[in-house]
Amino acid sequence: MKKQSICAILLVGLFSLTLAGCGATATRAGTGEYVDDTVITTKVKAAIFNTASLKVSEINVETFKGVVQLSGFVSSAEDITTAIRVAREITGVTAVKNDMRVK
């Protein structure tokens, strides 16, 4: 084989490995999913902030593949219900997991 052919094969192989490293797995989001999850998290936090009865400092928001997890300590069971409803209304949210507790 020519030197150029070997270099081209190695370059294509390296490029393929790089792309495979950016792919999603069951426990790790791909690059595009990570960006989407970051946007969802930001939108949920903003929606909670804009809801007068909720305190954004009490509620932690994490998103993985569209599933939002809410955690923290809130003032009432009604706050839990409201936070879940607000999170579900955000575009891109596929499910909401509640780990919030009443303090």
Side-chain angles (χ1 to χ4, degrees):
M1 286 185 124
K2 288 185 175 180
K3 203 176 199 181
Q4 291 175 342
S5 297
I6 292 172
C7 287
I9 291 170
L10 288 174
L11 186 61
V12 169
L14 182 61
F15 182 72
S16 298
L17 288 173
T18 302
L19 287 178
C22 293
T25 65
T27 58
R28 185 173 58 88
T31 306
E33 291 172 321
Y34 177 76
V35 171
D36 292 343
D37 287 343
T38 302
V39 170
I40 291 170
T41 298
T42 302
K43 287 181 178 182
V44 171
K45 286 181 178 181
I48 289 170
F49 179 77
N50 290 323
T51 303
S53 63
L54 299 176
K55 295 180 183 169
V56 73
S57 62
E58 293 180 336
I59 302 171
N60 300 314
V61 180
E62 293 183 31
T63 308
F64 182 71
K65 295 187 176 188
V67 178
V68 173
Q69 180 177 359
L70 302 175
S71 61
F73 295 93
V74 294
S75 302
S76 68
E78 184 178 309
D79 287 349
I80 292 173
T81 303
T82 302
I84 292 170
R85 180 185 49 78
V86 166
R88 283 186 179 143
E89 292 174 352
I90 301 301
T91 302
V93 173
T94 58
V96 177
K97 291 184 178 180
N98 172 36
D99 287 328
M100 294 178 287
R101 303 286 180 255
V102 177
K103 54 180 166 177

XYZ file of all heavy atoms in Angstrom:
755
model
N 0.840 -1.186 0.000
C 0.000 0.000 0.000
C 0.883 1.246 0.000
O 1.958 1.248 0.563
C -0.886 0.042 1.241
C -2.027 -0.916 1.253
S -3.021 -0.609 2.730
C -4.574 -0.347 1.987
N 0.334 2.265 -0.585
C 1.053 3.529 -0.622
C 0.986 4.204 0.740
O 0.069 3.970 1.527
C 0.446 4.446 -1.669
C 0.712 4.039 -3.075
C 0.160 5.092 -4.012
C 0.517 4.783 -5.429
N -0.009 5.794 -6.333
N 1.931 5.028 0.985
C 2.002 5.778 2.233
C 0.753 6.656 2.411
O 0.215 6.780 3.509
C 3.262 6.631 2.219
C 3.765 7.025 3.543
C 5.076 7.788 3.348
C 5.857 7.826 4.615
N 7.099 8.550 4.485
N 0.263 7.242 1.328
C -0.917 8.113 1.388
C -2.165 7.310 1.757
O -3.016 7.781 2.503
C -1.128 8.827 0.052
C -0.065 9.857 -0.247
C -0.229 10.451 -1.633
O -0.906 9.896 -2.482
N 0.423 11.587 -1.862
N -2.300 6.105 1.236
C -3.454 5.265 1.544
C -3.466 4.881 3.014
O -4.515 4.883 3.663
C -3.438 3.998 0.690
O -3.552 4.319 -0.673
N -2.317 4.550 3.538
C -2.223 4.179 4.955
C -2.578 5.376 5.831
O -3.339 5.254 6.792
C -0.808 3.650 5.278
C -0.584 2.318 4.571
C -0.620 3.475 6.777
C 0.829 1.800 4.646
N -2.081 6.542 5.494
C -2.406 7.760 6.249
C -3.899 8.055 6.188
O -4.508 8.439 7.192
C -1.602 8.947 5.724
S 0.137 8.882 6.165
N -4.504 7.886 5.025
C -5.942 8.143 4.870
C -6.752 7.172 5.716
O -7.718 7.568 6.384
C -6.340 8.034 3.404
N -6.370 5.903 5.727
C -7.078 4.893 6.526
C -6.950 5.213 8.012
O -7.925 5.150 8.768
C -6.559 3.478 6.202
C -6.980 3.083 4.784
C -7.065 2.459 7.218
C -6.327 1.815 4.275
N -5.747 5.579 8.443
C -5.542 5.938 9.843
C -6.350 7.176 10.231
O -6.930 7.241 11.322
C -4.052 6.161 10.121
C -3.176 4.917 10.141
C -1.710 5.300 10.279
C -3.597 3.987 11.256
N -6.399 8.146 9.327
C -7.150 9.370 9.598
C -8.650 9.084 9.720
O -9.308 9.579 10.642
C -6.890 10.406 8.494
C -7.489 11.786 8.710
C -6.923 12.419 9.972
C -7.192 12.674 7.519
N -9.185 8.273 8.819
C -10.606 7.903 8.876
C -10.890 7.117 10.160
O -11.895 7.345 10.836
C -11.012 7.094 7.623
C -12.386 6.472 7.791
C -10.985 7.984 6.391
N -9.993 6.216 10.519
C -10.173 5.443 11.747
C -10.165 6.327 12.982
O -10.977 6.174 13.884
N -9.232 7.275 13.033
C -9.154 8.204 14.156
C -10.411 9.063 14.240
O -10.961 9.279 15.319
C -7.911 9.083 14.019
C -7.653 10.087 15.140
C -7.466 9.359 16.462
C -6.439 10.923 14.823
N -10.884 9.540 13.098
C -12.104 10.349 13.057
C -13.302 9.548 13.551
O -14.129 10.036 14.317
C -12.343 10.861 11.636
C -13.548 11.741 11.508
C -13.553 13.017 12.030
C -14.695 11.288 10.863
C -14.662 13.833 11.916
C -15.811 12.094 10.746
C -15.792 13.376 11.274
N -13.390 8.281 13.151
C -14.496 7.414 13.577
C -14.474 7.197 15.079
O -15.518 7.211 15.745
C -14.425 6.065 12.867
O -14.558 6.233 11.479
N -13.299 6.990 15.645
C -13.174 6.811 17.090
C -13.572 8.076 17.840
O -14.192 8.012 18.897
C -11.751 6.399 17.461
C -11.340 4.978 17.102
C -9.864 4.769 17.382
C -12.181 3.972 17.860
N -13.216 9.218 17.272
C -13.592 10.488 17.894
C -15.106 10.638 17.927
O -15.683 11.026 18.943
C -12.959 11.671 17.132
O -11.545 11.507 17.121
C -13.311 12.995 17.776
N -15.774 10.327 16.832
C -17.231 10.419 16.790
C -17.873 9.425 17.745
O -18.866 9.732 18.401
C -17.751 10.192 15.370
C -17.527 11.325 14.383
C -18.051 10.932 13.011
C -18.184 12.594 14.856
N -17.326 8.234 17.842
C -17.873 7.230 18.748
C -17.764 7.701 20.184
O -18.628 7.418 21.018
C -17.148 5.907 18.559
N -16.723 8.453 20.511
C -16.555 8.976 21.862
C -17.590 10.015 22.225
O -17.852 10.258 23.401
N -18.211 10.644 21.250
C -19.235 11.660 21.500
C -20.637 11.068 21.533
O -21.598 11.775 21.778
C -19.185 12.739 20.411
S -17.685 13.715 20.446
N -20.768 9.792 21.265
C -22.080 9.161 21.218
C -22.673 8.954 22.601
O -21.976 8.937 23.604
N -23.966 8.796 22.631
C -24.669 8.583 23.893
C -24.645 7.111 24.273
O -24.608 6.236 23.414
C -26.111 9.054 23.755
N -24.661 6.865 25.563
C -24.817 5.511 26.084
C -25.974 5.547 27.071
O -26.562 6.595 27.313
C -23.538 5.022 26.800
O -23.313 5.830 27.951
C -22.327 5.082 25.887
N -26.257 4.412 27.691
C -27.370 4.361 28.647
C -27.112 5.234 29.869
O -28.045 5.724 30.500
C -27.612 2.922 29.074
N -25.845 5.448 30.210
C -25.525 6.221 31.410
C -24.866 7.554 31.119
O -24.577 8.307 32.037
C -24.576 5.416 32.326
O -23.393 5.098 31.591
C -25.250 4.159 32.826
N -24.626 7.859 29.843
C -23.943 9.094 29.492
C -24.629 9.725 28.289
O -24.861 9.069 27.285
C -22.479 8.796 29.159
C -21.642 10.016 28.894
C -20.178 9.641 28.747
N -19.927 8.686 27.694
C -19.698 9.018 26.425
N -19.713 10.266 26.051
N -19.463 8.088 25.518
N -24.935 10.999 28.405
C -25.581 11.711 27.302
C -24.550 12.077 26.255
O -23.394 12.349 26.558
C -26.248 12.981 27.822
N -24.973 12.079 24.991
C -24.115 12.550 23.919
C -24.028 14.068 23.975
O -24.729 14.723 24.736
N -23.173 14.637 23.148
C -22.953 16.079 23.163
C -24.243 16.856 22.924
O -24.568 17.777 23.666
C -21.911 16.471 22.097
O -20.738 15.692 22.310
C -21.564 17.934 22.179
N -25.016 16.467 21.919
C -26.277 17.155 21.627
C -27.283 17.018 22.746
O -27.978 17.967 23.098
N -27.357 15.826 23.327
C -28.276 15.608 24.443
C -27.864 16.420 25.658
O -28.707 16.934 26.382
C -28.337 14.125 24.810
C -29.012 13.270 23.775
C -28.890 11.791 24.074
O -27.838 11.351 24.537
O -29.873 11.088 23.822
N -26.546 16.537 25.885
C -26.070 17.315 27.021
C -26.496 18.768 26.890
O -26.968 19.369 27.837
C -24.544 17.215 27.150
C -23.992 18.059 28.260
C -24.120 17.661 29.587
C -23.381 19.283 28.001
C -23.636 18.445 30.618
C -22.897 20.072 29.020
C -23.026 19.645 30.331
O -22.561 20.431 31.347
N -26.357 19.315 25.684
C -26.769 20.701 25.440
C -28.268 20.830 25.632
O -28.730 21.760 26.283
C -26.332 21.164 24.036
C -26.934 22.514 23.696
C -24.816 21.214 23.940
N -29.047 19.888 25.099
C -30.497 19.918 25.274
C -30.868 19.861 26.752
O -31.743 20.584 27.210
C -31.154 18.755 24.534
C -31.041 18.873 23.022
O -30.745 19.977 22.531
O -31.255 17.861 22.331
N -30.211 18.980 27.506
C -30.497 18.856 28.933
C -30.155 20.137 29.686
O -30.880 20.540 30.591
C -29.733 17.672 29.534
C -30.312 16.326 29.112
O -31.462 16.289 28.630
O -29.614 15.314 29.283
N -29.081 20.799 29.290
C -28.702 22.059 29.920
C -29.760 23.131 29.660
O -30.120 23.884 30.562
C -27.326 22.530 29.403
O -26.369 21.508 29.669
C -26.886 23.812 30.060
N -30.268 23.162 28.443
C -31.318 24.124 28.100
C -32.582 23.837 28.905
O -33.209 24.751 29.455
C -31.611 24.103 26.582
C -32.856 24.901 26.241
C -30.415 24.621 25.806
N -32.961 22.568 29.002
C -34.145 22.188 29.777
C -33.973 22.589 31.236
O -34.879 23.173 31.849
C -34.430 20.673 29.649
C -34.902 20.348 28.229
C -35.469 20.219 30.678
C -34.974 18.854 27.932
N -32.809 22.291 31.816
C -32.549 22.649 33.218
C -32.690 24.145 33.424
O -33.338 24.588 34.385
C -31.134 22.184 33.634
O -31.062 20.762 33.524
C -30.812 22.603 35.054
N -32.129 24.922 32.517
C -32.207 26.384 32.619
C -33.653 26.863 32.532
O -34.076 27.739 33.299
C -31.358 27.042 31.516
O -30.009 26.582 31.647
C -31.398 28.547 31.604
N -34.428 26.282 31.618
C -35.833 26.683 31.470
C -36.654 26.307 32.698
O -37.520 27.077 33.131
C -36.434 26.042 30.222
C -35.941 26.664 28.935
C -36.591 26.012 27.728
C -36.147 26.646 26.438
N -36.810 26.036 25.267
N -36.394 25.135 33.272
C -37.133 24.724 34.475
C -36.790 25.651 35.638
O -37.679 26.108 36.362
C -36.837 23.246 34.834
C -37.422 22.892 36.201
C -37.396 22.309 33.768
N -35.506 25.952 35.820
C -35.103 26.866 36.898
C -35.752 28.238 36.725
O -36.208 28.841 37.696
C -33.582 27.008 36.940
C -32.878 25.795 37.504
C -31.370 26.007 37.538
C -30.662 24.816 38.135
N -29.189 25.028 38.198
N -35.799 28.729 35.489
C -36.418 30.034 35.220
C -37.914 29.993 35.520
O -38.465 30.927 36.100
C -36.172 30.447 33.774
N -38.571 28.902 35.146
C -40.007 28.775 35.400
C -40.289 28.714 36.901
O -41.258 29.315 37.381
C -40.559 27.530 34.707
N -39.442 28.009 37.632
C -39.605 27.953 39.094
C -39.377 29.338 39.685
O -40.131 29.789 40.550
C -38.650 26.906 39.708
C -39.127 25.494 39.334
C -38.552 27.064 41.228
C -38.148 24.385 39.684
N -38.344 30.033 39.212
C -38.045 31.386 39.685
C -39.216 32.329 39.442
O -39.522 33.186 40.275
C -36.789 31.915 38.987
C -36.416 33.312 39.384
C -35.789 33.559 40.596
C -36.699 34.383 38.549
C -35.448 34.850 40.969
C -36.368 35.680 38.909
C -35.731 35.917 40.128
N -39.888 32.171 38.305
C -40.999 33.052 37.935
C -42.324 32.650 38.561
O -43.337 33.305 38.315
C -41.128 33.117 36.416
C -39.984 33.870 35.785
O -39.500 34.858 36.326
N -39.519 33.402 34.641
N -42.336 31.584 39.352
C -43.543 31.169 40.060
C -43.440 31.720 41.483
O -42.581 31.304 42.264
C -43.673 29.631 40.088
O -43.651 29.156 38.734
C -44.956 29.202 40.757
N -44.317 32.669 41.794
C -44.219 33.427 43.046
C -44.205 32.542 44.296
O -43.498 32.846 45.262
C -45.372 34.423 43.127
N -44.931 31.442 44.292
C -45.026 30.622 45.504
C -43.810 29.734 45.730
O -43.641 29.159 46.805
C -46.287 29.757 45.450
O -46.207 28.852 44.365
N -42.931 29.625 44.726
C -41.762 28.746 44.845
C -40.488 29.557 45.061
O -40.363 30.658 44.548
C -41.606 27.892 43.584
C -42.757 26.956 43.249
C -42.497 26.249 41.927
C -42.966 25.939 44.360
N -39.561 28.963 45.785
C -38.264 29.588 46.005
C -37.221 28.765 45.272
O -36.969 27.615 45.613
C -37.937 29.648 47.492
C -38.871 30.539 48.277
C -38.511 30.554 49.739
C -39.518 31.398 50.500
N -39.380 31.233 51.939
N -36.618 29.354 44.250
C -35.662 28.636 43.416
C -34.462 28.156 44.226
O -33.856 27.141 43.904
C -35.236 29.488 42.198
C -34.310 30.610 42.610
C -34.599 28.629 41.129
N -34.148 28.841 45.313
C -33.005 28.443 46.139
C -33.270 27.152 46.910
O -32.338 26.499 47.374
C -32.638 29.560 47.115
O -33.714 29.817 47.996
N -34.524 26.753 47.038
C -34.881 25.535 47.769
C -34.911 24.300 46.869
O -34.871 23.183 47.355
C -36.261 25.673 48.407
C -36.351 26.693 49.509
C -37.747 26.780 50.108
O -38.731 26.426 49.417
O -37.848 27.197 51.271
N -35.007 24.501 45.554
C -35.230 23.380 44.635
C -34.032 23.223 43.702
O -33.656 24.149 42.999
C -36.519 23.602 43.812
C -37.723 23.756 44.753
C -36.739 22.455 42.836
C -38.997 24.189 44.070
N -33.457 22.031 43.718
C -32.361 21.698 42.801
C -32.954 21.025 41.571
O -33.852 20.192 41.693
C -31.370 20.749 43.477
C -30.760 21.369 44.715
O -30.332 22.514 44.703
N -30.742 20.619 45.798
N -32.422 21.367 40.410
C -32.921 20.815 39.154
C -31.758 20.165 38.402
O -30.720 20.797 38.201
C -33.544 21.914 38.264
C -34.066 21.334 36.967
C -34.639 22.658 39.015
N -31.939 18.919 38.008
C -30.972 18.213 37.170
C -31.744 17.527 36.058
O -32.858 17.052 36.278
C -30.197 17.179 37.977
C -29.283 17.793 39.022
C -28.470 16.753 39.755
O -28.151 15.716 39.155
O -28.155 16.996 40.924
N -31.148 17.451 34.878
C -31.805 16.834 33.733
C -30.863 15.843 33.076
O -29.685 16.141 32.873
C -32.231 17.902 32.709
O -32.991 18.907 33.369
C -33.063 17.291 31.594
N -31.389 14.668 32.735
C -30.632 13.666 32.001
C -31.540 13.040 30.960
O -32.548 12.427 31.300
C -30.073 12.594 32.942
C -29.232 11.563 32.234
C -27.991 11.890 31.746
C -29.707 10.279 32.050
C -27.209 10.953 31.084
C -28.947 9.331 31.395
C -27.691 9.664 30.912
N -31.194 13.259 29.693
C -31.977 12.741 28.564
C -33.455 13.127 28.657
O -34.340 12.315 28.436
C -31.808 11.233 28.446
C -30.399 10.814 28.091
C -30.294 9.341 27.811
C -28.890 8.996 27.361
N -28.767 7.629 26.907
N -33.714 14.371 29.031
C -35.072 14.895 29.080
C -35.822 14.613 30.372
O -36.914 15.123 30.585
N -35.257 13.794 31.246
C -35.896 13.483 32.533
C -35.379 14.474 33.570
O -34.183 14.531 33.845
C -35.617 12.038 32.975
C -36.239 11.765 34.335
C -36.127 11.051 31.934
N -36.293 15.244 34.147
C -35.940 16.264 35.127
C -36.080 15.677 36.522
O -37.095 15.070 36.850
C -36.849 17.507 34.980
C -36.598 18.506 36.093
C -36.634 18.153 33.623
N -35.050 15.873 37.340
C -35.100 15.442 38.732
C -35.118 16.687 39.602
O -34.229 17.529 39.518
C -33.892 14.580 39.081
C -33.911 14.125 40.521
C -32.740 13.213 40.849
O -31.914 12.907 40.001
N -32.683 12.783 42.078
N -36.148 16.787 40.421
C -36.285 17.898 41.349
C -35.962 17.391 42.748
O -36.485 16.355 43.171
C -37.715 18.453 41.320
C -38.220 18.950 39.969
C -39.692 19.348 40.072
C -37.388 20.121 39.473
N -35.104 18.113 43.462
C -34.762 17.713 44.822
C -34.630 18.950 45.690
O -34.574 20.074 45.191
C -33.460 16.906 44.837
O -32.394 17.683 44.337
N -34.587 18.736 46.982
C -34.457 19.842 47.925
C -35.562 19.805 48.955
O -36.367 18.864 49.009
N -35.573 20.821 49.800
C -36.564 20.920 50.867
C -37.429 22.148 50.631
O -36.914 23.258 50.490
C -35.865 21.006 52.230
C -35.117 19.750 52.568
C -33.777 19.615 52.264
C -35.777 18.689 53.165
C -33.084 18.452 52.557
C -35.099 17.516 53.453
C -33.750 17.399 53.152
N -38.741 21.937 50.561
C -39.688 23.020 50.291
C -40.613 23.206 51.491
O -40.634 22.383 52.398
C -40.507 22.741 49.008
C -39.613 22.755 47.789
C -41.251 21.430 49.101
N -41.389 24.271 51.448
C -42.227 24.635 52.587
C -43.495 23.815 52.739
O -44.015 23.671 53.840
C -42.602 26.117 52.489
O -41.434 26.906 52.461
N -44.025 23.274 51.622
C -45.301 22.558 51.720
C -45.436 21.523 50.605
O -44.728 21.569 49.605
C -46.464 23.551 51.625
O -46.534 24.108 50.325
N -46.397 20.628 50.793
C -46.707 19.631 49.762
C -47.239 20.320 48.506
O -47.012 19.841 47.389
C -47.716 18.629 50.300
N -47.913 21.441 48.690
C -48.420 22.207 47.547
C -47.261 22.722 46.687
O -47.360 22.741 45.456
C -49.272 23.385 48.033
C -49.914 24.163 46.908
C -50.787 25.295 47.427
O -51.632 25.048 48.294
O -50.587 26.424 46.937
N -46.158 23.112 47.323
C -44.987 23.554 46.568
C -44.426 22.423 45.713
O -43.983 22.647 44.588
C -43.896 24.068 47.509
C -44.229 25.421 48.116
O -45.192 26.068 47.657
O -43.520 25.828 49.059
N -44.452 21.211 46.244
C -43.986 20.048 45.481
C -44.849 19.863 44.239
O -44.345 19.715 43.129
C -43.988 18.770 46.353
C -42.927 18.885 47.445
C -43.777 17.523 45.502
C -42.944 17.757 48.462
N -46.156 19.889 44.432
C -47.091 19.718 43.324
C -46.903 20.817 42.278
O -46.876 20.540 41.071
C -48.541 19.735 43.844
O -48.685 18.713 44.835
C -49.546 19.514 42.730
N -46.744 22.046 42.730
C -46.565 23.174 41.814
C -45.258 23.039 41.031
O -45.236 23.236 39.813
C -46.577 24.514 42.584
O -47.818 24.622 43.288
C -46.409 25.694 41.652
N -44.172 22.682 41.700
C -42.875 22.544 41.035
C -42.912 21.442 39.979
O -42.379 21.608 38.877
C -41.780 22.264 42.059
N -43.562 20.337 40.292
C -43.685 19.239 39.324
C -44.490 19.695 38.115
O -44.114 19.449 36.969
C -44.318 18.000 39.983
C -43.354 17.406 41.017
C -44.712 16.963 38.942
C -43.978 16.339 41.893
N -45.597 20.387 38.359
C -46.437 20.883 37.262
C -45.658 21.854 36.386
O -45.684 21.756 35.152
C -47.687 21.571 37.821
C -48.611 22.123 36.724
C -49.791 22.905 37.290
N -49.443 23.895 38.295
C -48.918 25.103 38.026
N -48.667 25.459 36.782
N -48.655 25.954 39.003
N -44.934 22.776 37.001
C -44.157 23.768 36.256
C -43.103 23.077 35.398
O -42.919 23.409 34.222
C -43.507 24.777 37.241
C -42.429 25.599 36.559
C -44.571 25.680 37.842
N -42.416 22.076 35.954
C -41.381 21.361 35.204
C -41.971 20.598 34.024
O -41.396 20.579 32.933
C -40.627 20.408 36.133
N -43.114 19.964 34.220
C -43.752 19.182 33.144
C -44.181 20.051 31.973
O -44.288 19.565 30.841
C -44.972 18.436 33.687
C -44.607 17.210 34.470
C -45.831 16.424 34.856
N -45.448 15.230 35.593
C -46.117 14.716 36.605
N -47.245 15.280 37.004
N -45.685 13.644 37.209
N -44.434 21.326 32.220
C -44.896 22.227 31.169
C -43.771 22.687 30.235
O -44.035 23.263 29.185
C -45.575 23.454 31.794
C -46.886 23.121 32.480
C -47.493 24.304 33.221
O -46.825 25.358 33.344
O -48.628 24.169 33.697
N -42.527 22.404 30.589
C -41.394 22.854 29.780
C -41.221 21.924 28.581
O -41.217 20.703 28.712
C -40.097 22.882 30.625
C -40.257 23.820 31.824
C -38.893 23.264 29.771
C -40.570 25.250 31.484
N -41.053 22.509 27.411
C -40.833 21.745 26.187
C -39.548 20.936 26.303
O -38.516 21.471 26.713
C -40.733 22.696 24.980
O -41.928 23.464 24.899
C -40.525 21.932 23.687
N -39.626 19.662 25.948
C -38.458 18.791 25.990
C -38.415 17.898 27.207
O -37.663 16.923 27.236
N -39.209 18.211 28.218
C -39.247 17.389 29.426
C -40.062 16.136 29.127
O -41.218 16.217 28.718
C -39.853 18.156 30.625
C -40.050 17.240 31.818
C -38.974 19.340 30.984
N -39.450 14.968 29.311
C -40.143 13.705 29.047
C -40.729 13.105 30.314
O -41.697 12.354 30.245
C -39.195 12.690 28.393
O -38.066 12.484 29.246
C -38.714 13.192 27.037
N -40.140 13.430 31.468
C -40.633 12.924 32.753
C -40.050 13.789 33.861
O -39.047 14.474 33.671
C -40.232 11.469 32.959
N -40.698 13.750 35.017
C -40.213 14.486 36.188
C -40.123 13.515 37.355
O -41.091 12.831 37.679
C -41.152 15.667 36.551
C -40.662 16.372 37.811
C -41.261 16.646 35.393
N -38.938 13.455 37.973
C -38.733 12.642 39.170
C -38.733 13.577 40.373
O -38.039 14.588 40.377
C -37.399 11.893 39.108
C -37.369 10.803 38.076
C -36.049 10.060 38.156
C -36.022 8.931 37.147
N -34.741 8.193 37.214
N -39.495 13.229 41.375
C -39.602 14.074 42.556
C -38.802 13.486 43.703
O -39.092 12.392 44.188
C -41.072 14.212 42.970
C -41.187 14.914 44.307
O -40.426 15.816 44.612
N -42.143 14.487 45.117
N -37.795 14.245 44.134
C -37.038 13.892 45.340
C -37.097 15.054 46.335
O -36.236 15.164 47.200
C -35.588 13.582 44.991
C -35.437 12.235 44.294
O -36.233 11.337 44.607
O -34.555 12.103 43.442
N -38.122 15.899 46.216
C -38.283 17.020 47.140
C -38.946 16.524 48.412
O -39.733 15.589 48.393
C -39.133 18.133 46.510
C -38.476 18.804 45.332
S -39.531 20.070 44.572
C -40.735 19.031 43.751
N -38.621 17.183 49.511
C -39.193 16.862 50.812
C -39.713 18.125 51.461
O -39.149 19.216 51.261
C -38.143 16.235 51.731
C -37.494 14.974 51.164
C -38.469 13.797 51.224
N -37.851 12.604 50.680
C -38.123 12.077 49.502
N -38.996 12.644 48.717
N -37.538 10.976 49.095
N -40.759 18.004 52.271
C -41.280 19.130 53.033
C -40.404 19.294 54.276
O -40.155 18.322 54.983
C -42.755 18.914 53.427
C -43.254 20.077 54.283
C -43.618 18.751 52.180
N -39.952 20.519 54.513
C -39.092 20.749 55.685
C -39.888 20.983 56.937
O -41.023 21.246 56.944
C -38.109 21.881 55.461
C -38.707 23.205 55.032
C -37.611 24.229 54.853
C -38.147 25.432 54.114
N -37.205 26.486 53.952
